[in-house]
Amino acid sequence: MTFLVVLGMHRSGTSALTGLLHKIGFCSGLHQEQHNEFNEKGYFESLPVRRENDNIFRTIARRWHDERLLPEEWAIKTEVHSKIPQLENILKAEFDLTWDSVVKDPRMCRLLPLWQQ
C-alpha cells in the first residue's frame, strides 16, 4: 500500500496530478469536492480533510489564504495537537488504507507537519 500526499497551492496542477493518480487506481477519498465552473474535471479533494484543515486554521487564528507565518510552534500547542486522533479517524474513514491512496488539499502545504504526526 502506498499513501501519497500531493502538495501545491491553488492553480498549480495538483488537481490534474491527483486526477491522474485517481484514474490509474489510487483512492482519492470517498467524499470529494465536486467539480465546478473553475475546475470542470474536478478537484480530487477529500471534503472531510478540507473541513478539518479549515478547522485547524481557525484554531490558530488563520485562514488558508493568510500570508502571515503560522504561530510559533503551532503544531505542538495543546488545542492543535489534540486534533491528531481526529485526523487519524478522518484518514481511516475517508481512505481505504489497504489500497494505494492519495490525499490532496492546498491547505496541507502549510499544515503537513501536523498531519505527519
Side-chain angles (χ1 to χ4, degrees), residues 1-63:
M1 188 279 293
T2 300
F3 194 91
L4 300 176
V5 177
V6 174
L7 295 177
M9 290 309 286
H10 305 279
R11 311 308 304 163
S12 65
T14 56
S15 295
L17 176 59
T18 308
L20 174 66
L21 291 167
H22 179 81
K23 282 186 180 184
I24 64 170
F26 279 73
C27 171
S28 56
L30 297 176
H31 304 94
Q32 294 187 15
E33 178 78 33
Q34 295 300 309
H35 68 278
N36 60 26
E37 69 273 11
F38 302 109
N39 192 333
E40 294 181 8
K41 293 184 179 181
Y43 292 93
F44 301 95
E45 292 177 11
S46 162
L47 286 172
V49 168
R50 188 197 73 201
R51 287 181 188 131
E52 190 56 33
N53 282 337
D54 284 337
N55 288 336
I56 294 165
F57 276 120
R58 277 190 289 283
T59 301
I60 58 175
R62 295 291 191 273
R63 300 179 96 190

Side-chain angles (χ1 to χ4, degrees), residues 47-110:
L47 286 172
V49 168
R50 188 197 73 201
R51 287 181 188 131
E52 190 56 33
N53 282 337
D54 284 337
N55 288 336
I56 294 165
F57 276 120
R58 277 190 289 283
T59 301
I60 58 175
R62 295 291 191 273
R63 300 179 96 190
W64 66 264
H65 52 78
D66 192 330
E67 295 178 2
R68 294 177 292 169
L69 294 175
L70 297 181
E72 199 167 312
E73 299 184 351
W74 66 271
I76 60 172
K77 292 185 187 259
T78 303
E79 63 273 11
V80 175
H81 195 265
S82 66
K83 292 181 178 288
I84 291 175
Q86 174 65 15
L87 302 181
E88 292 173 353
N89 290 337
I90 289 170
L91 292 177
K92 289 175 185 174
E94 190 66 8
F95 299 92
D96 180 352
L97 299 179
T98 65
W99 194 259
D100 292 338
S101 297
V102 59
V103 63
K104 172 253 188 190
D105 178 20
R107 295 152 188 83
M108 290 185 97
C109 287
R110 302 191 75 196

